[in-house]
Amino acid sequence: MIVLGIETTCDETGAAVVEFTTDGERGRILSNVVLSQINEHAAFGGVVPEIAARAHVEALDLIIAKAMAEADLGFAALDGVAAAAGPGLIGGLIVGLTMAKAIALTHDKPLIAVNHLEAHALTARLTDATAFPYCLFLASGGHTQILGVRGVGDYLKLGGTVDDAIGEAFDKTAKLLGLGYPGGPLVEQEALRGDATRFHLPRPMAGRHDANFSLSGLKTALRIEAEKVAPLSDQDVADLCASFQQAVTDVVIDRLRAGLKLFRARIGTPTALVCAGGVAANQAIRKVLHRVAFEVGTTLVAPPPALCTDNGAMIAWAGAERLALGLTDGLDFAPRPRWPLEQVMKVAPTSSLPGRSAALSVAE
Ligand code: KG4
Ligand code: ZN
């Protein structure tokens, strides 16, 4: 089964062609083209929705043509067309979903309206054929969640952030320290030559039984520490970055321990701990994820960084998983800027696949 996937929820224009087999094996990426709009937004220190939407309009035709050419396929060879229909910025969602509808209509192919978070959640099955149920740590610029992934369309939220997302905290830290955008990789780079013990920052929510995060207090504490030593030398910036990253990794390990405990109590033994989202590209965070997975006797499945950040391949894969279960959408499907993963559910499956089965239940 071959599916085209289109990603336009934020500031990456992505298109990819992925092949899905029905034998429970990992997928095959035939092409995966991503155009980042970082340069367009850098001057503003963050994503400007109007600029993002216009950039998607300008680039999407070419990106899709490139993905099809690299896969060496024509539209007639596709079994379905998938697009991220939310959550995300409305302008970009309209661009991507409308394009998918046009291709589906013109070539008489089924449309799959994919939830962007579900696509992050299922990426480990594309890369590693990870069996259900697994524990997902999703950490991106817009989302921070610990989820039980029990099947396609069957997610149990075990924890989430009550304020900022982790990627957002990295981005705000970078902005405060004048490092630029996006902040995650820049803070990580600075942290390499910094002293993580120099500044004392809080570990918000540490020790709590729930698996929730709170990061806005950490960001404020960092600002206060920075103001105390301003004007900042290069070494001050590096030490602040290292101290911040250390605090975040300590929080991640504590919150994941709580999340995995909840997973065991409510779902059972996870087949793996899986990470997804741009923050999972951070090497220090990956290291603690390995540690916490080892502690609970499971393994970490960490897709390559290019598949952790936004891309079309994950949309194509999630579309294929849904298509294989007979879950397609009508051409009247409206984009959903807000679309919590718990609201994605499986309805009326037409088939069930070995190793990729899904239970018919709605996450609590
Ligand atoms: O998943 P993603 O590409 O887009 C969405 O937000 O959906 O994630 C982007 C986020 C940004 O906040 C970025 O700063 C963060 O992921 N990020 C990182 C790193 N690389 C990207 N955060 C920490 N360390 C990194 N190396
Ligand atoms: Zn994302």
Side-chain angles (χ1 to χ4, degrees), residues 14 16 88-89 138 141 154 284 334:
L89 300 171
L138 171 61
D154 185 10

Side-chain angles (χ1 to χ4, degrees), residues 85 97 101 113 330-337 339:
L97 188 57
K101 286 176 181 175
L331 292 178
D332 58 348
F333 194 100
R336 300 179 181 174
W339 190 7

Side-chain angles (χ1 to χ4, degrees), residues 162 204-214 254-255 257-259 261-262:
V162 298
M205 313 294 255
R208 284 172 54 133
H209 292 301
D210 64 56
N212 289 332
F213 292 79
S214 169
D254 179 80
R255 305 292 65 218
R257 279 180 183 141
K261 235 183 228 163
L262 290 175

Side-chain angles (χ1 to χ4, degrees), residues 116 120 140 310 314:
H116 177 90
H120 275 306
S140 70
D310 293 349
M314 69 179 193

Side-chain angles (χ1 to χ4, degrees), residues 183-361:
L186 300 166
V187 171
E188 181 177 16
Q189 205 182 330
E190 287 292 322
L192 288 176
R193 55 178 193 87
D195 174 5
T197 62
R198 178 165 162 210
F199 295 100
H200 298 286
L201 299 171
R203 272 52 173 168
M205 313 294 255
R208 284 172 54 133
H209 292 301
D210 64 56
N212 289 332
F213 292 79
S214 169
L215 293 144
S216 66
L218 181 54
K219 178 192 66 196
T220 308
L222 179 102
R223 182 169 49 75
I224 292 167
E225 292 299 321
E227 280 167 3
K228 279 190 210 159
V229 292
L232 302 178
S233 68
D234 285 354
Q235 195 56 50
D236 292 334
V237 170
D239 293 346
L240 282 161
C241 286
S243 303
F244 169 80
Q245 188 170 277
Q246 185 62 52
V248 173
T249 50
D250 286 352
V251 165
V252 165
I253 212 167
D254 179 80
R255 305 292 65 218
L256 272 175
R257 279 180 183 141
L260 282 159
K261 235 183 228 163
L262 290 175
F263 190 104
R264 274 189 193 281
R266 299 176 71 179
I267 299 173
T269 305
T271 59
L273 172 64
V274 170
C275 62
V279 177
N282 183 293
Q283 293 304 322
I285 290 180
R286 278 193 180 216
K287 218 160 137 189
V288 300
L289 296 180
H290 273 293
R291 203 168 97 200
V292 81
F294 179 76
E295 272 176 23
V296 299
T298 191
T299 49
L300 177 72
V301 173
L307 294 175
C308 281
T309 53
D310 293 349
N311 65 86
M314 69 179 193
I315 305 298
W317 177 260
E321 290 245 40
R322 293 185 75 80
L323 182 60
L325 294 170
L327 303 170
T328 60
D329 297 283
L331 292 178
D332 58 348
F333 194 100
R336 300 179 181 174
R338 293 185 65 79
W339 190 7
L341 193 49
E342 307 89 278
Q343 284 173 17
V344 176
M345 60 187 108
K346 193 164 70 64
V347 268
T350 53
S351 66
S352 184
L353 302 170
R356 291 193 186 122
S357 63
L360 236 189
S361 65

Side-chain angles (χ1 to χ4, degrees), residues 33-50:
V33 184
V34 181
L35 179 71
S36 171
Q37 304 173 0
I38 284 175
N39 292 341
E40 269 106 316
H41 301 286
F44 303 94
V47 178
V48 183
E50 179 63 21

